[in-house]
Amino acid sequence: MKTHILCPILLASALALLLSGCTTVGFHAPTFGSENKVPSTDQIDAYPNRPIEIIVPTGAGGDTDLGARLLGRYLGEEMDTSFVVTNIAGAGGSMGSREVLEADPDGYKVLFFHNNLLINKLYGLSTFNHNDFKIAGIALMDHGDTFIVHGDAPYQTANELAQASIEQPGELSFATEVGGYTHLQMMAFEEATGADLKPIDVGGASDKLVALLGGQVDIVPIAYGVTADYIENGDFASVGVLSSEQHALYDNTPTFLEQGIDVEFEKFFFFAFPQETPDAIVSRFSEALKEVVENNEAYREQAESYYTIPTYIAPEEATRYMDDVSHSYERLIERLETQTD
């Protein structure tokens, strides 16, 4: 049984990416809704007639935040309203997610998040998952989840990284949010290779970059697009991507599967409303989302320039897809727990 010592590092984020069209970055303590007022028929018919707030349950500067701001700009044009992005980080995304879960179901507060919502419940970090919301659709896929290391590290492939960790058990530090999506990736990698890594909880994507640049960690799991410039200039190197196959968008970086390591993760990003939100409001939002994702060429080009793949999946199909992903994570977690007993 591996025993990991968790050593949180306090680092200030040096990165905040802002896109025009979304007016503010908010940082505040969540104020959960209490009355949960369902809108009247007139209010539903008038939707939207005021700004819509996108809650991003991560810090500014990462792929979730960037995706929300870009989509918010084009959704605002499509729906003839403005979108404001508010970042509420904490508890692996559970704090911001709960802000939406307990909001008034009037369509003016929507969650934009990813796979971590499923994992939080499986690990007991929250009491809710996607089935406790009303899903408005999946908007983006990222097939570029990767592990990055220093450009001059002695391990430049996934196999070399695994071997180095086996030779130095518990010494190579892995930046993550313990109990979250990237922590599950780390444990799957350990299971597949016999590696023994040291998880260090440093926060979100921008915090991880700062930690790697400063030499406080050895490995960072992150979206390829967030670090593409660092990889290009040689500061960082990708040891492989966790997708099912290579993509030109990620410079045809070899997958872990191609390197003989049976680890595969692909990230999806979705919008979700409080469960009691009227279907007519969710449908209106979803239709606008579909139009932007599938037919707005300006949006598609920009999304791909950020190394994400615009992919619209309608609410019912998206919910089934998320059910399948959740079940696959549950089986993986059960397998990992069995091996450490």
Side-chain angles (χ1 to χ4, degrees):
M1 176 178 178
K2 296 187 178 82
T3 301
H4 294 300
I5 300 174
L6 307 183
C7 304
I9 296 177
L10 301 178
L11 294 171
S13 171
L15 185 61
L17 300 177
L18 301 178
L19 291 176
S20 60
C22 295
T23 58
T24 66
V25 183
F27 298 92
H28 60 76
T31 54
F32 300 147
S34 56
E35 298 180 357
N36 295 323
K37 297 177 181 177
V38 177
S40 67
T41 300
D42 288 344
Q43 289 172 324
I44 293 172
D45 290 342
Y47 178 82
N49 63 0
R50 58 185 172 90
I52 296 172
E53 183 180 20
I54 302 175
I55 300 296
V56 173
T58 67
D63 52 349
T64 312
D65 179 66
L66 189 62
R69 292 178 187 282
L70 185 60
L71 278 161
R73 187 204 313 180
Y74 287 96
L75 281 170
E77 294 175 2
E78 182 66 28
M79 299 181 75
D80 194 25
T81 191
S82 59
F83 279 75
V84 176
V85 173
T86 301
N87 299 82
I88 303 177
S94 294
M95 285 186 64
S97 300
R98 184 173 291 278
E99 170 84 358
V100 176
L101 183 72
E102 299 186 357
D104 287 340
D106 56 10
Y108 292 100
K109 186 169 288 189
V110 61
L111 176 69
F112 185 75
F113 201 22
H114 56 66
N115 313 49
N116 224 56
L117 182 72
L118 317 181
I119 296 170
N120 285 341
K121 184 174 183 181
L122 293 174
Y123 272 122
L125 299 178
S126 71
T127 58
F128 53 85
N129 66 7
H130 61 293
N131 289 312
D132 296 291
F133 293 84
K134 189 165 283 186
I135 303 300
I138 288 173
L140 278 174
M141 299 292 291
D142 189 337
H143 301 291
D145 277 352
T146 184
F147 292 178
I148 60 171
V149 299
H150 294 282
D152 59 357
Y155 32 80
Q156 296 288 301
T157 69
N159 282 306
E160 290 173 352
L161 174 60
Q163 186 59 39
S165 177
I166 291 169
E167 294 171 357
Q168 307 169 64
E171 292 297 320
L172 297 182
S173 54
F174 187 96
T176 186
E177 301 91 355
V178 174
Y181 178 62
T182 57
H183 193 203
L184 188 58
Q185 291 177 341
M186 185 200 83
M187 292 191 297
F189 179 71
E190 289 181 324
E191 180 203 29
T193 64
D196 185 357
L197 301 168
K198 179 174 67 174
I200 297 183
D201 203 331
V202 301
S206 49
D207 299 305
K208 292 174 186 173
L209 293 180
V210 172
L212 187 60
L213 284 168
Q216 288 94 348
V217 297
D218 300 301
I219 309 142
V220 167
I222 202 165
Y224 188 95
V226 176
T227 61
D229 289 342
Y230 293 100
I231 292 171
E232 185 176 353
N233 68 24
D235 288 338
F236 299 156
S238 167
V239 301
V241 293
L242 280 66
S243 61
S244 58
E245 59 185 21
Q246 290 186 25
H247 286 269
L249 195 58
Y250 312 116
D251 300 321
N252 290 316
T253 302
T255 68
F256 280 42
L257 294 174
E258 290 172 325
Q259 298 179 62
I261 299 173
D262 188 15
V263 177
E264 179 184 346
F265 285 82
E266 294 182 328
K267 187 182 288 186
F268 59 87
F269 298 87
F270 63 91
F271 283 102
F273 288 97
Q275 183 65 255
E276 299 304 314
T277 306
D279 289 342
I281 287 178
V282 178
S283 294
R284 201 160 301 156
F285 186 97
S286 184
E287 288 166 4
L289 181 63
K290 175 181 171 68
E291 180 64 25
V292 168
V293 171
E294 292 189 345
N295 299 318
N296 191 310
E297 288 304 318
Y299 165 73
R300 292 182 62 86
E301 288 179 10
Q302 283 199 282
E304 291 182 4
S305 75
Y306 298 140
Y307 297 86
T308 51
I309 301 172
T311 307
Y312 173 77
I313 303 179
E316 289 187 9
E317 185 183 351
T319 301
R320 289 193 298 270
Y321 173 81
M322 293 166 78
D323 286 339
D324 291 342
V325 172
S326 182
H327 292 151
S328 71
Y329 289 164
E330 186 175 15
R331 290 191 295 270
L332 173 59
I333 290 169
E334 288 174 351
R335 193 167 72 242
L336 292 169
E337 289 177 345
T338 298
Q339 291 186 356
T340 57
D341 286 342

